[in-house]
Amino acid sequence: MQLQALLATSNPGKLRDFAGAAAPYGITIANIPHFSSLPEVVEDGATFEENARKKAESYSLAVSGELVLADDSGLEIDALGGAPGVHSARYAADEPHNAECNTDDAANNARVLRELKGVSEQKRTARFICVMAVARDGHTLHTFRGAAEGIILDAPRGQHGFGYDPLFYFPQIGKTFAELSAAEKAQYSHRGAAFRAFLEWHREA
Ligand code: IMP
């Protein structure tokens, strides 16, 4: 399939996920050239959609006429009232979570484990959400949402992936997302689902 779209992310984990989602279709998705030299977009929106649109719109201005894809994503844990949610990338930071200051994966995972200490397995339900926006020349054309339902373990498992993957157990296959290759994760993940919805839209557009 001929797909002309550029990705806007500096997160190697997301790049790996998108590559895994695109590979079965024979598609290679390239990042925006010189992405790291572009001014960073402050992710201060109240929703995943707001942040995804903001990133796609802003970065699309750097590559005139091109379709630009950006995702905003995170983990919603029911026992924590939906936290860390839009603050997933900076959950270990002091409140209020400063939108310009991400914290590292190990610290974020440690905070989740701390907050869930003593919470029974049945109550450790959670979901990953990914909202992807596609924009051109500063305007969002469409957004796509994907979700994956799982359970938060009480200790990490697996070496792959990024972020909260080692804590996110996916009952359907009896593994955490960190125990999956990029291609396997894409079959089940929120990002894989959003990407496939984008491909469907692109096919019909
Ligand atoms: P953002 O979309 O750049 O705001 O960052 C999303 C944050 O959510 C990441 O830094 C991770 O902490 C978490 N996250 C989103 N998607 C995933 C995933 O697929 N696996 C693990 N963690 C994720």
Side-chain angles (χ1 to χ4, degrees), residues 13 15 23-24 59 66 77 99 121 126 137 180-181 189:
L15 267 173
Y59 291 124
E66 302 281 355
I77 301 175
E121 190 185 320
D137 296 330
L180 304 179
S181 68
S189 78

Side-chain angles (χ1 to χ4, degrees), residues 9 11 13-14 17 43 48 51 55 71-75 85-90 102-103 105 108 128-130 161-166 168 177 185 189-191:
T9 185
N11 182 328
K14 287 188 182 182
D17 277 9
E43 301 180 32
F48 295 117
N51 282 331
K55 286 187 263 189
D71 100 2
D72 197 62
S73 48
L75 179 65
V86 290
H87 300 131
S88 292
R90 47 187 183 276
N102 285 355
T103 42
D105 290 344
N108 294 334
F128 274 128
I129 303 285
C130 169
F162 73 105
Y164 302 96
D165 278 345
F168 189 81
F177 272 4
K185 182 181 167 187
S189 78
H190 49 313
R191 194 159 291 107

